Amino acid sequence: MTKKTKRIIVIAVLFAFVVSSLYAQVIISQQKKQSNTQTKTTYRQDSKQSTSSKNNSPDPLIINSEGFITIGVRYLNPIKDDKDNLVFEVFLDNHQIDLSTLNFNGKVLFSTSEGIKVNNAKWWIEGSGHHVMAFIKIPKKINGKNLITPKTKYIQLELQNIGGVKLRIYRWDKKFLN
């Protein structure tokens, strides 16, 4: 075999390697895009991942990565109780828009298993850019009545029309309500 033939074979093998690597990257990229368009809700309720300091219960963080904004919501009361309010810490993450301009007015609905609904939550955003934090506060009592009672099986926070997603539901069951 001549030197010229050996060089051609080496170049052909290297070319095939480069082309197959690029093809693999395209396939991986397409799979990531597909998985990002599907509903992704992750519950961090595994005590190995994180535990709260108040009652050593699982972390009440729920993450939804639908649309072009990933939104994680942590129900803070099991970790650090607020005397007058139910408090939710909201993590927002994206690479397309400045999230500090986001408006939650009319986009937050709180409800309980008993059918109580509250849609006038207080909220504010901290930070600016593509990664911000928001807080949502809802009074523990409405018209003198507790929102959460011993009969409450779950509480739910709905975020509507944020980041290209019509409805995101975050639900915490009884283990987070005591």
Side-chain angles (χ1 to χ4, degrees):
M1 198 182 283
T2 67
K3 283 185 177 183
K4 187 176 181 180
T5 305
K6 287 181 184 178
R7 284 185 191 153
I8 291 172
I9 291 172
V10 169
I11 291 171
V13 169
L14 288 174
F15 180 77
F17 177 75
V18 169
V19 169
S20 64
S21 295
L22 291 173
Y23 179 73
Q25 286 179 343
V26 168
I27 297 298
I28 291 169
S29 175
Q30 287 175 344
Q31 288 174 343
K32 282 183 183 178
K33 284 181 185 176
Q34 270 186 328
S35 68
N36 285 340
T37 59
Q38 297 171 351
T39 300
K40 284 186 164 184
T41 302
T42 306
Y43 297 88
R44 286 196 57 200
Q45 298 177 355
D46 177 319
S47 60
K48 291 179 184 175
Q49 290 177 342
S50 178
T51 56
S52 70
S53 58
K54 183 178 167 192
N55 58 12
N56 204 29
S57 65
D59 187 349
L61 172 66
I62 302 170
I63 300 169
N64 178 290
S65 55
E66 293 178 85
F68 61 88
I69 299 176
T70 297
I71 302 176
V73 179
R74 178 177 281 132
Y75 174 45
L76 284 181
N77 293 70
I79 298 168
K80 184 179 178 187
D81 197 19
D82 181 294
K83 182 179 143 196
D84 299 317
N85 297 290
L86 302 175
V87 183
F88 301 89
E89 183 178 41
V90 183
F91 305 93
L92 298 115
D93 182 43
N94 87 113
H95 294 285
Q96 295 181 6
I97 63 170
D98 179 358
L99 294 170
S100 63
T101 62
L102 206 59
N103 186 343
F104 280 87
N105 284 337
K107 296 182 178 188
V108 177
L109 176 64
F110 171 85
S111 60
T112 70
S113 56
E114 286 76 40
I116 297 170
K117 294 183 189 258
V118 178
N119 62 3
N120 59 345
K122 295 177 192 170
W123 63 272
W124 66 95
I125 291 178
E126 293 181 358
S128 63
H130 300 288
H131 317 282
V132 299
M133 187 179 305
F135 291 91
I136 297 172
K137 282 192 174 186
I138 297 165
K140 285 185 173 180
K141 292 185 177 189
I142 302 288
N143 298 326
K145 295 184 180 181
N146 289 327
L147 292 179
I148 299 175
T149 69
K151 293 181 181 181
T152 305
K153 294 178 183 168
Y154 66 85
I155 61 171
Q156 181 170 291
L157 196 65
E158 296 179 15
L159 299 180
Q160 303 164 355
N161 300 314
I162 298 175
V165 178
K166 186 172 180 148
L167 180 65
R168 299 175 202 240
I169 298 174
Y170 301 84
R171 182 182 284 193
W172 295 270
D173 60 20
K174 202 161 189 68
K175 69 182 163 196
F176 294 107
L177 305 181
N178 298 325

